[in-house]
Amino acid sequence: MTSCGACLGRMMVALTAAMLSTSVSSSRWGEEGVEYGQLGTSITLPCDRANGSSPVEWRFNGSADLPQRSSTRLGSLILLQANLSAVGNYSCYDDRGRLLSSRFLRLGYPPGKPSVLCHTSNYENFSCYWTSTLETFLPTRYITTYKNTHHPTSPCLQDPARPNMCSVIKPKIWSSYRMNITEENPLGSSFQLLVVMMHTIVKPDPPEALVVQPVPFFPRRLQVRWDCPVTWHKESHFELKFRVQYCSVLHASWSVVETVNLSYVITDAYAGAEHVVQVSARDFLDSGSWSDWTAEARATPWSSSTKETSDKTTTVELEDPGEGPSKVPHTEPFDPSDALEKVAILASMGTFAFIILSVALIITVLVWIRVRKKGKDQAKNRDFISVVHLKALPRTQIL
Ligand SMILES: *[C@@H]1O[C@H](CO)[C@@H](O)[C@H](O)[C@H]1NC(C)=O
Ligand SMILES: *[C@@H]1O[C@H](CO)[C@@H](O)[C@H](O)[C@H]1NC(C)=O
Ligand SMILES: *[C@@H]1O[C@H](CO)[C@@H](O)[C@H](O)[C@H]1NC(C)=O
Ligand SMILES: *[C@@H]1O[C@H](CO)[C@@H](O)[C@H](O)[C@H]1NC(C)=O
Ligand SMILES: *[C@@H]1O[C@H](CO)[C@@H](O)[C@H](O)[C@H]1NC(C)=O
Ligand SMILES: *[C@@H]1O[C@H](CO)[C@@H](O)[C@H](O)[C@H]1NC(C)=O
Ligand SMILES: *[C@@H]1O[C@H](CO)[C@@H](O)[C@H](O)[C@H]1NC(C)=O
């Protein structure tokens, strides 16, 4: 399967190379009967099939109104210092009004050197991005190639869906690549050369899934968490490190810390103030450059003052019970409203127990009086036992 894939890949590369070479040798730009001229220069348009002895008539866009500063010589039309208003359809006719030839004139400039930047967001691919440095007004294409000690000149692959970019797939990490990005149009070509080393152009994508949360009961802490960018391959041998920058909205100066972990606890936050947090990533060995910062995440440290924040801390606690709060006493005693409720419950329970105890005592006393009246003669032992038994009853009810 892999050999078949590799062979297909090679075929595609060969095909691309063939297409490139045919299009380079072809002087046509996809338009039949179009002539290209440089703005600001003099342009001579010959009238095909005319001979010097017979006069010809020129028309511009079907009309006899020719652009200013134009003249005919030996049947040819000459435009002096042509500008964009001279763009259009030129046709010539013989003295009997027969069309001899026609052509469409486009005007523009030869290409300037493209401006090129290469970067990679991992070590699997690298890409070069370019912009034209001159508006040429003409159809343009780019020929993109690279060379290194392992490869002769090979195409840097362009994707029609992503213009102004080409990619080198599976580059050798420690070798240097000589890139040639050539801008070409009907009036000429201009190339930009660039030496690229993988480890100098690596710039990871920003980290993802940034979350900032208050830490319950710590009014100066914020818990920050994030993930590696998905484009950074986890199985690669190249680790990332991170930097976290944070500031409170009240004191707009950033604090920056570095870590190799995917989380960080800010311990010097301003109590009660909202904080802005961002994270960026870089190759662990300081290769290349830092990624762009993530979008901002915001949070306010835990505080006891507002109902809203105490709600938040409760949810945090539910989400991960394993962290921080385990050393901290349980929430309930801290909540004054809860405590009041407890007191009320205890008080009502006490009242209930007191009533039961009183009723039981009254019954006991009544029974005792009766028993005493009826059986004064009976043995003291039995009397004593029954009284003890009756007295014990209310105690079990209290418990
Ligand atoms: C040039 O034009 C003349 C008159 O229209 C014609 O007689 C002659 O054959 C033409 N010559 C050529 C080479 O076309
Ligand atoms: C082109 O040149 C003509 C005369 O030289 C001028 O009138 C016209 O405004 C110019 N047009 C443009 C688009 O520059
Ligand atoms: C001539 O025709 C071309 C194409 O139709 C058009 O872009 C251009 O503006 C026309 N020029 C003039 C002076 O009418
Ligand atoms: C230019 O004009 C000629 C004559 O009117 C016409 O036959 C030809 O199709 C035109 N070409 C373009 C590109 O408009
Ligand atoms: C490498 O580039 C190709 C083509 O642009 C793309 O399809 C592929 O996802 C890229 N691979 C990585 C790992 O970025
Ligand atoms: C760059 O590529 C262009 C187009 O393939 C070629 O004409 C030019 O010679 C190359 N330049 C160098 C220095 O290789
Ligand atoms: C990274 O995490 C480990 C264990 O979770 C911890 O021991 C270490 O101090 C952390 N390092 C930094 C820089 O926060």
Side-chain angles (χ1 to χ4, degrees):
M1 277 313 268
T2 47
S3 68
C4 197
C7 138
L8 204 81
R10 222 170 288 148
M11 255 173 69
M12 278 172 71
V13 168
L15 210 77
T16 317
M19 276 164 65
L20 280 180
S21 62
T22 53
S23 54
V24 168
S25 62
S26 154
S27 58
R28 244 185 259 132
W29 281 78
E31 296 172 296
E32 214 50 64
V34 178
E35 189 107 341
Y36 298 94
Q38 187 168 341
L39 282 165
T41 64
S42 292
I43 289 155
T44 301
L45 297 170
C47 179
D48 305 333
R49 285 188 278 146
N51 66 36
S53 53
S54 61
V56 298
E57 190 209 343
W58 279 95
R59 289 187 193 160
F60 173 52
N61 277 0
S63 123
D65 285 341
L66 294 172
Q68 289 174 342
R69 289 186 287 181
S70 62
S71 61
T72 50
R73 191 187 302 153
L74 301 173
S76 292
L77 181 69
I78 296 162
L79 304 168
L80 292 172
Q81 293 172 1
N83 67 14
L84 283 175
S85 67
V87 169
N89 187 353
Y90 292 84
S91 45
C92 67
Y93 298 83
D94 69 9
D95 51 3
R96 289 187 230 156
R98 285 179 306 194
L99 177 65
L100 295 174
S101 73
S102 82
R103 68 195 70 221
F104 196 92
L105 178 67
R106 288 196 187 287
L107 295 167
Y109 297 105
K113 264 192 184 187
S115 146
V116 185
L117 270 178
C118 301
H119 98 249
T120 176
S121 54
N122 54 46
Y123 285 99
E124 304 273 311
N125 280 348
F126 76 81
S127 300
C128 294
Y129 303 82
W130 57 85
T131 52
S132 148
T133 54
L134 183 72
E135 167 65 279
T136 64
F137 305 104
L138 294 177
T140 301
R141 67 184 165 219
Y142 293 88
I143 301 152
T144 52
T145 57
Y146 69 89
K147 235 190 316 200
N148 75 0
T149 47
H150 304 282
H151 296 88
T153 301
S154 316
C156 176
L157 297 174
Q158 294 182 42
D159 178 356
R162 301 186 62 187
N164 293 8
M165 184 200 105
C166 72
S167 302
V168 174
I169 313 295
K170 301 223 177 292
K172 297 266 185 307
I173 287 161
W174 301 114
S175 87
S176 65
Y177 285 75
R178 287 192 291 144
M179 312 300 301
N180 174 349
I181 311 295
T182 302
E183 180 174 329
E184 191 181 53
N185 78 14
L187 299 181
S189 71
S190 183
F191 57 79
Q192 181 70 263
L193 300 175
L194 204 75
V195 176
V196 165
M197 319 257 271
M198 283 296 280
H199 61 278
T200 65
I201 59 164
V202 65
K203 180 187 177 192
D205 287 330
E208 288 167 30
L210 174 63
V211 175
V212 186
Q213 287 171 323
V215 179
F217 310 110
F218 290 100
R220 299 206 60 192
R221 292 196 181 180
L222 284 170
Q223 166 83 47
V224 188
R225 265 175 292 206
W226 60 89
D227 278 340
C228 285
V230 287
T231 48
W232 190 265
H233 285 253
K234 293 201 174 70
E235 67 270 21
S236 88
H237 304 296
F238 302 92
E239 297 291 325
L240 284 175
K241 63 176 184 178
F242 305 93
R243 57 182 180 174
V244 180
Q245 75 170 8
Y246 57 96
C247 76
S248 85
V249 291
L250 303 178
H251 312 76
S253 78
W254 294 102
S255 302
V256 184
V257 289
E258 276 192 24
T259 176
V260 294
N261 294 341
L262 290 172
S263 66
Y264 182 76
V265 177
I266 296 169
T267 54
D268 59 352
Y270 289 95
E274 188 182 37
H275 286 66
V276 178
V277 181
Q278 290 178 298
V279 182
S280 80
R282 187 173 186 175
D283 178 285
F284 180 66
L285 296 173
D286 279 335
S287 296
S289 51
W290 284 100
S291 76
D292 292 336
W293 291 103
T294 57
E296 292 176 354
R298 285 163 184 265
T300 305
W302 176 89
S303 93
S304 56
S305 60
T306 58
K307 181 74 184 133
E308 199 192 346
T309 50
S310 78
D311 281 349
K312 267 185 203 159
T313 58
T314 314
T315 31
V316 169
E317 201 179 12
L318 286 176
E319 275 169 5
D320 58 12
E323 284 196 18
S326 58
K327 284 178 195 165
V328 166
H330 202 239
T331 340
E332 284 169 45
F334 282 84
D335 196 324
S337 63
D338 258 0
L340 269 175
E341 209 174 281
K342 283 262 160 79
V343 169
I345 290 169
L346 283 174
S348 60
M349 275 170 75
T351 315
F352 186 54
F354 177 74
I355 289 167
I356 287 178
L357 190 73
S358 314
V359 169
L361 262 173
I362 290 163
I363 292 171
T364 312
V365 168
L366 288 176
V367 168
W368 183 68
I369 290 168
R370 261 195 164 182
V371 167
R372 228 184 132 174
K373 272 183 178 173
K374 269 192 175 181
K376 267 194 172 180
D377 324 353
Q378 283 182 5
K380 274 186 180 178
N381 281 0
R382 284 183 188 171
D383 204 6
F384 179 74
I385 288 167
S386 71
V387 170
V388 168
H389 176 71
L390 283 166
K391 272 195 174 173
L393 181 67
R395 264 196 214 150
T396 53
Q397 272 176 338
I398 291 167
L399 291 169

